[in-house]
Amino acid sequence: MKQIVLKISHDGKDWVVENSLVSMSSPTLEEIDAGIGALLREKGFIGKGEKARVRMEFDSSGIPQWIRQYSHHYFDRIVDIQG
């Protein structure tokens, strides 16, 4: 199973997931989860019949320093994609 890591953040309007190769945004996390598979297939990162685990790691630079130690597990997401 392929492993793909993306940074997830919020720009004040939409959720944004990105790495150096792909980027997408959407107002809801459900739309991010649904759309990331299509984006990765479209860009050729997942082929037909392949599986991938997408790990979205929250960019904690947007939250106060004092709370970061308590918040990582609330924002990291893992989505399994079938090609």
Side-chain angles (χ1 to χ4, degrees):
M1 179 181 294
K2 289 184 178 183
Q3 301 286 323
I4 299 168
V5 178
L6 302 169
K7 178 182 75 170
I8 186 168
S9 59
H10 198 275
D11 67 6
K13 180 180 177 243
D14 291 330
W15 289 100
V16 179
V17 292
E18 60 189 344
N19 65 17
S20 61
L21 302 172
V22 296
S23 177
M24 73 173 287
S25 63
S26 183
T28 68
L29 291 173
E30 290 81 11
E31 290 176 23
I32 291 286
D33 292 349
I36 196 66
L39 176 66
L40 294 173
R41 285 188 289 275
E42 174 187 311
K43 298 286 185 180
F45 293 106
I46 302 172
K48 190 172 184 117
E50 289 184 309
K51 294 180 182 179
R53 176 160 285 162
V54 179
R55 180 173 174 85
M56 298 175 226
E57 298 175 347
F58 187 74
D59 179 9
S60 63
S61 66
I63 58 175
Q65 179 70 32
W66 65 269
I67 200 167
R68 291 182 196 174
Q69 64 183 334
Y70 304 109
S71 62
H72 274 287
H73 64 281
Y74 291 112
F75 298 105
D76 290 352
R77 303 176 64 75
I78 296 175
V79 178
D80 290 331
I81 305 293
Q82 177 72 43

